[in-house]
């Protein structure tokens, strides 16, 4: 989706939990106790109903984590309502936003996120996960992320104590081992006007480059942590996280999936994978493998 960088008013940092919600625990929270729903951006359809309580069929709430140069609304217009319709409690945060940088990709004036240093963004995710757990009473959440949003939760699991709070991590084209410089640059045409951000305010772009200090830190520990199930869903036509096979993880409890193995005719690329019916079907199967159904090509 195209976007243009234009001035915007400063907004509060995303993902901040309130003491009132934390104290609410499993009790039904009141309107005054709810966290701010537009940390910076409106929620996508189906997400951030803070009165939602998980069911026995879907006991873990699902937290959606957008990618670089994205936001929760635009990134999850397809998956969020789908998961809600299947009975999940769905939550989505914005992270790594910088006041003054906005997107008009969907015809709305929306901040662009995923720009901050990945460790800082992972800390925002950690706070948001605790907010969801406290509000819903669920001991664990499942996480679905796209691009950077599929990788940074693994930093949370490895370095910020998230392993005991997450059951499944599903990554759509995640930048798990970084990307070549061309990959970062190839993302810019989707968001006209933000190319200059790559080397100025986008610390996440630097972090995701192959050989960065961040990637060296990630490589200092195994790809996975015990107790978490991982699914990576990749497309052979990914032009952003390159080479695309570097998205895969190694370790127990990992399912590395190639979209074209299920839909050979699919030409979906990096951005489009978040809206691909085949990819979204693979996501729902990964979240509920006991009730997985044959994946349709679409």
């Amino acid at each position: 989706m195209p976007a243009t960088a234009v001035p915007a008013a400063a907004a509060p940092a995303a993902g901040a939990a309130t003491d009132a919600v934390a104290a609410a625990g499993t009790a039904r929270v009141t309107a005054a106790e709810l966290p701010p729903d537009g940390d910076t951006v409106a929620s996508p359809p189906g997400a951030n109903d803070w009165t939602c309580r998980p069911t026995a069929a879907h006991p873990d709430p699902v937290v959606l984590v957008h990618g670089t140069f994205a936001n929760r609304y635009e990134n999850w217009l397809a998956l969020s309502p789908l998961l809600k319709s299947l009975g999940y409690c769905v939550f989505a945060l914005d992270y790594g936003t910088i006041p003054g940088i906005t997107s008009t990709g969907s015809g709305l004036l929306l901040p662009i996120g995923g720009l901050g240093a990945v460790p800082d963004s992972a800390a925002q995710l950690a706070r948001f996960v605790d907010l969801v757990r406290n509000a819903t009473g669920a001991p664990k959440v499942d996480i679905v992320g796209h691009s950077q949003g599929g990788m940074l939760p693994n930093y949370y699991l490895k370095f910020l104590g998230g392993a005991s709070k997450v059951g499944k991590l599903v990554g759509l084209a995640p930048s798990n081992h970084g990307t070549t410089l061309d990959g970062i640059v190839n993302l810019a045409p989707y968001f006209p006007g933000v190319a200059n951000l790559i080397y100025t305010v986008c610390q996440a772009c630097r972090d995701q480059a192959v050989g960065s200090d961040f990637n060296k830190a990630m490589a200092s520990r195994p790809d996975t942590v015990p107790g978490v199930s991982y699914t990576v869903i990749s497309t052979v036509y990914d032009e952003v996280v390159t080479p695309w096979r570097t998205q895969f993880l190694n370790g127990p409890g990992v399912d590395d999936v190639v979209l074209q193995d299920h839909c050979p005719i699919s030409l979906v690329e990096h951005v489009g994978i978040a809206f691909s019916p085949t990819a979204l079907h693979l996501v729902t199967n990964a979240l509920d493998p006991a009730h997985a159904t044959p994946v349709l090509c679409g």
Side-chain angles (χ1 to χ4, degrees), residues 46-180:
N48 296 336
D49 173 6
W50 294 96
T51 65
C52 186
R53 296 297 175 265
T55 64
H58 301 301
D60 293 346
V62 179
V63 173
L64 304 179
V65 188
H66 64 73
T68 309
F69 299 151
N71 55 61
R72 64 182 177 183
Y73 181 82
E74 293 175 307
N75 213 146
W76 302 119
L77 280 171
L79 182 59
S80 179
L82 172 62
L83 293 178
K84 184 69 172 181
S85 72
L86 295 175
Y88 289 91
C89 290
V90 184
F91 298 88
L93 80 159
D94 282 309
Y95 70 89
T97 56
I98 295 177
I101 307 300
T102 64
S103 161
T104 55
S106 63
L108 303 174
L109 192 63
L110 300 175
I112 294 171
L115 302 177
V118 176
D120 294 342
S121 294
Q124 288 183 268
L125 172 63
R127 293 192 295 269
F128 192 80
V129 167
D130 284 344
L131 180 65
V132 170
R133 292 171 60 245
N134 289 330
T136 62
K140 291 187 176 185
V141 304
D142 293 334
I143 297 177
V144 180
H146 176 224
S147 192
Q148 179 190 166
M151 172 275 294
L152 79 82
N154 210 14
Y155 184 93
Y156 164 55
L157 299 180
K158 288 184 178 186
F159 295 98
L160 302 182
S164 64
K165 303 174 183 180
V166 176
K168 303 180 184 71
L169 171 56
V170 182
L172 288 162
S175 53
N176 281 323
H177 299 103
T179 178
T180 60

